[in-house]
Amino acid sequence: MKVAGIEKGEKTKDIENRDNEVVLRRIISPKYPIDPYELLGFRNFKTPRIVPKEEVGTPVQEFFRDATVFLTGGTGFLGQVLIEKLLRCCPHINQIYVLVRVKRNKSPADRFETILQDSLFDRLKYEVPNYREKISYVSGCIDQPLLGLSEEDRSKISNDVNIIYHCAATVNFNEMLAKAIKVNTMGTREVIKVARDVKSLKALLYVSTAYSFCNHIDVGEKLYPMHIEPEAMIELVEQKSATELETEVAAYIKGWPNTYVFSKALAEWLILKEVSDLPVAILRPSIVICTWKEPLRGWINIMYGPLGLFLGFGLGILHIHDGDLRDETVDMVPVDMVVNSLICATKEIALNHKTKSNLNRAVPIYNYANASQNPITWKYISDICMDEVVKHWGFSNAIWYPSLNNLTCRSLYPILNLFLHRIPGLLIDFIFILTKREPILTKVYRKLDQLRDILRYFRVRKWLFKTDNVQSLWKNLSPEDKEIFYFDIKNVDWTEYFQCLVLGLRVFLMKDDIQTLPAARKKVTRLYIIHQLTKFIFYSLLTLFGMYMLIRFIEYRVNDLILHSKQ
């Protein structure tokens, strides 16, 4: 029976392998030579290995030997990448405590387990089989006093933790002022209180944004004056209702385009005032999007900012852009490189920390941005994304052929938005209702219009971010650490990067399985034919209408001349 069982297992495995080969032959061909599994990095996993305790690592790895980390925002986009990187590349780390709150009736335990099931952690599970021993969660919430931690968890953090990463934030640009302050500013205050009780704190890192002081065009690695103190703003939030604050939001955030960047700027000042005597630093990344190299390429699990525009292109939902794409630069950075810079900065600030008696010590700030070193434009990005969707990675749920018209005359946008977006959206939603499916396009176009308005401030301005501290951090790394914790933005190949982004949006965000690619490619071809036929019919009717109007005009003029000649 045992032998038979083995034989049956081997036959089943052979059948599965043959099925996989058949699928791969349909996906990879002379016309489509790129292996999507290779491009996303699924074939790059290293041999599983438990690193012996006596094995000495790189300087950064050794800094994390026996370290215990406390992390807020670990359930978020950047926080998850940070967890994965620390567990996979710092083999002698002791423990990571992740702050997790109740959300949508899911307990912290359930949310924590759900996060670890994400494909982001597939490589970690394969290469580091014992990773689960080094990570656990503590129940709490960033907007609660002392983070809502129990006495037991507070004691555990106070006694065990050496390093704190504060990544938690609400990144909603349209967030109500009261909530933005409670989460981003007051939440930082509560992290500071917890950090003050930590007995052997080596480093406290706060993840802010490069746009915290976007009211300055030249943004140095320093803080700039604000019209209101963080304590005064917190007092207003505690005294007034959210509705009262919202009626005067423009007056409170004057100089800042939204509540998100305003609340992050206040949080930075709070850190300077409250904990400049501690080993603390601020990391300011620009627009953080999908991974470039690791653990998987193109990994993304959140829809925000420009990613909504990219997805709109790929699904054939977004067809016009109001502005000259050639002139609009964009400052984006890969999340894995942001995390690598954050990890390396941790070691640097811990080693460079001066005595606590020096209360006037400047807080180190790291602007992690690309525009001054490796600039890209919206035109460059849109061309690559369109090319990749059309030629290689079509979306199964695309509703139209991907196409984008760049409107240099912005006054045309409302008219074309009506005819190319809103009206077709209503018609398709009507068809969805008739076929008993949920109408979505009207809602999608409304959100895209809101996103366009939100991003306009950032699209039409160009900032110069000074990155001296980041560049110095990179130069001071050992060659081994540069290989493991790579973050030199100058050498990012943006063409390769956005190829991965398009496929990553498809696979990781839209959950569109790679095996559906053959059908999706056929669909793109069909949509192309429909798109061209529609254009032909539209321009033909437009031409006929124009000719009809011209003939009627000529007839009118001829009849008018005849009438005048008779008189």
Side-chain angles (χ1 to χ4, degrees):
M1 291 294 292
K2 187 175 180 180
V3 174
I6 291 173
E7 289 176 353
K8 183 178 180 180
E10 289 174 349
K11 288 180 181 178
T12 303
K13 189 174 181 180
D14 288 341
I15 292 171
E16 289 176 355
N17 288 336
R18 284 198 297 272
D19 289 343
N20 289 335
E21 287 175 8
V22 170
V23 171
L24 277 176
R25 282 199 296 271
R26 292 172 58 210
I27 295 172
I28 307 169
S29 64
K31 186 177 180 181
Y32 304 106
I34 302 174
D35 181 349
Y37 295 99
E38 182 74 32
L39 183 63
L40 292 180
F42 282 106
R43 303 195 191 281
N44 299 335
F45 295 2
K46 296 178 181 177
T47 305
R49 179 172 179 253
I50 297 177
V51 180
K53 194 74 175 176
E54 63 274 11
E55 184 174 310
V56 178
T58 69
V60 172
Q61 288 177 323
E62 285 302 303
F63 171 77
F64 284 91
R65 182 183 285 270
D66 299 325
T68 298
V69 172
F70 174 56
L71 169 65
T72 73
T75 59
F77 173 52
L78 187 145
Q80 290 182 52
V81 178
L82 176 59
I83 290 170
E84 196 279 341
K85 181 68 176 186
L86 287 173
L87 290 174
R88 181 168 52 84
C89 294
C90 298
H92 301 309
I93 196 169
N94 179 52
Q95 187 70 210
I96 300 176
Y97 296 130
V98 184
L99 184 72
V100 184
R101 66 183 173 96
V102 175
K103 186 177 181 181
R104 295 174 187 154
N105 297 323
K106 287 189 72 174
S107 69
D110 289 341
R111 290 190 66 211
F112 184 66
E113 292 302 326
T114 300
I115 288 163
L116 294 178
Q117 298 308 310
D118 194 283
S119 56
L120 173 74
F121 297 95
D122 287 353
R123 181 174 176 180
L124 172 67
K125 292 172 184 176
Y126 183 79
E127 294 182 6
V128 188
N130 66 334
Y131 82 97
R132 201 63 179 79
E133 303 168 1
K134 297 188 176 187
I135 183 169
S136 56
Y137 76 92
V138 291
S139 181
C141 188
I142 193 66
D143 60 1
Q144 296 297 312
L146 295 173
L147 306 179
L149 295 167
S150 66
E151 287 293 332
E152 181 184 352
D153 287 337
R154 278 185 63 196
S155 176
K156 184 164 48 177
I157 291 169
S158 176
N159 294 322
D160 300 344
V161 166
N162 315 111
I163 298 164
I164 297 177
Y165 291 111
H166 177 31
C167 305
T170 171
V171 296
N172 182 0
F173 283 10
N174 282 336
E175 193 67 82
M176 291 184 69
L177 179 61
K179 185 173 181 182
I181 297 298
K182 285 179 180 177
V183 175
N184 295 344
T185 309
M186 297 170 68
T188 301
R189 181 184 64 176
E190 300 309 310
V191 171
I192 290 170
K193 291 178 182 178
V194 172
R196 281 284 182 198
D197 289 337
V198 173
K199 295 175 181 177
S200 56
L201 184 67
K202 290 182 179 179
L204 166 60
L205 276 293
Y206 173 53
V207 179
S208 184
T209 170
Y211 298 97
S212 55
F213 291 95
C214 58
N215 50 343
H216 296 264
I217 297 301
D218 290 338
V219 183
E221 292 173 307
K222 62 180 182 178
L223 274 71
Y224 295 86
M226 297 185 70
H227 62 278
I228 188 170
E229 296 289 328
E231 297 86 354
M233 193 67 237
I234 289 172
E235 189 175 342
L236 283 170
V237 170
E238 291 174 336
Q239 291 176 349
K240 294 190 174 187
S241 68
T243 306
E244 286 178 300
L245 288 169
E246 212 59 25
T247 59
E248 301 177 70
V249 64
Y252 290 127
I253 70 169
K254 61 183 178 183
W256 278 261
N258 56 61
T259 57
Y260 167 67
V261 291
F262 175 67
S263 60
K264 297 293 271 186
L266 286 171
E268 290 189 19
W269 269 107
L270 200 62
I271 285 175
L272 178 66
K273 290 172 177 290
E274 298 289 335
V275 287
S276 61
D277 58 309
L278 296 181
V280 61
I282 298 170
L283 180 73
R284 290 176 179 165
S286 57
I287 302 171
V288 184
I289 53 175
C290 73
T291 56
W292 181 39
K293 290 291 186 183
E294 56 174 344
L296 296 170
R297 309 181 76 187
W299 181 84
I300 186 81
N301 72 342
I302 184 173
M303 171 69 71
Y304 78 104
L307 293 173
L309 301 179
F310 297 155
L311 198 58
F313 300 157
L315 294 173
I317 294 173
L318 193 62
H319 302 290
I320 53 174
H321 173 84
D322 63 328
D324 193 341
L325 292 172
R326 294 168 297 181
D327 295 333
E328 294 180 1
T329 57
V330 58
D331 203 307
M332 297 179 183
V333 288
V335 63
D336 52 327
M337 298 179 75
V338 173
V339 162
N340 287 342
S341 68
L342 180 64
I343 291 171
C344 294
T346 309
K347 171 180 172 287
E348 181 171 88
I349 65 159
L351 297 181
N352 292 344
H353 177 58
K354 297 179 182 179
T355 60
K356 292 185 179 181
S357 60
N358 185 3
L359 299 178
N360 294 320
R361 185 181 71 90
V363 173
I365 296 175
Y366 300 86
N367 286 343
Y368 192 74
N370 83 64
S372 61
Q373 302 175 72
N374 195 358
I376 46 174
T377 64
W378 281 106
K379 173 66 174 173
Y380 180 81
I381 296 170
S382 63
D383 285 348
I384 294 172
C385 290
M386 285 296 174
D387 194 56
E388 288 302 307
V389 171
V390 170
K391 289 185 177 178
H392 300 291
W393 319 121
F395 288 72
S396 295
N397 45 1
I399 65 166
W400 199 258
Y401 182 75
S403 63
L404 182 67
N405 298 291
N406 178 28
L407 299 180
T408 53
C409 180
R410 288 197 172 106
S411 58
L412 288 175
Y413 181 82
I415 299 170
L416 292 178
N417 184 41
L418 179 66
F419 285 100
L420 296 180
H421 290 165
R422 291 307 186 105
I423 292 175
L426 286 170
L427 292 173
I428 293 173
D429 275 350
F430 180 68
I431 294 171
F432 281 176
I433 292 170
L434 291 179
T435 55
K436 296 182 179 180
R437 288 183 289 174
E438 183 182 359
I440 58 169
L441 279 186
T442 302
K443 186 189 299 183
V444 167
Y445 282 127
R446 186 166 58 248
K447 287 186 176 181
L448 283 173
D449 283 343
Q450 291 173 353
L451 179 62
R452 178 180 60 87
D453 293 338
I454 290 169
L455 293 179
R456 177 181 291 280
Y457 178 91
F458 301 94
R459 279 178 27 222
V460 300
R461 288 168 175 79
K462 295 180 181 179
W463 285 270
L464 177 61
F465 296 109
K466 305 292 177 56
T467 59
D468 295 344
N469 289 343
V470 171
Q471 293 182 53
S472 174
L473 178 66
W474 173 253
K475 289 176 184 176
N476 292 334
L477 288 181
S478 69
E480 296 79 12
D481 279 326
K482 284 183 176 180
E483 184 176 345
I484 298 172
F485 303 99
Y486 188 85
F487 63 86
D488 186 9
I489 200 75
K490 292 194 299 293
N491 292 323
V492 173
D493 182 335
W494 290 119
T495 300
E496 180 186 85
Y497 178 78
F498 284 102
Q499 288 173 346
C500 298
L501 179 141
V502 170
L503 184 56
L505 283 174
R506 185 190 196 278
V507 174
F508 301 121
L509 188 62
M510 297 302 294
K511 309 299 182 186
D512 200 350
D513 196 280
I514 288 175
Q515 295 188 11
T516 64
L517 274 170
R521 286 162 176 165
K522 291 178 181 178
K523 184 176 184 179
V524 169
T525 302
R526 291 197 303 271
L527 290 174
Y528 173 75
I529 295 169
I530 294 170
H531 178 67
Q532 295 299 331
L533 283 173
T534 303
K535 283 171 63 178
F536 175 76
I537 293 170
F538 174 77
Y539 287 120
S540 297
L541 290 174
L542 191 64
T543 302
L544 289 172
F545 178 74
M547 291 176 64
Y548 170 75
M549 294 303 295
L550 179 62
I551 292 169
R552 290 299 305 270
F553 176 75
I554 293 171
E555 287 178 347
Y556 171 79
R557 293 299 298 166
V558 169
N559 290 335
D560 188 52
L561 287 171
I562 292 172
L563 183 64
H564 278 79
S565 64
K566 288 180 178 180
Q567 294 176 350

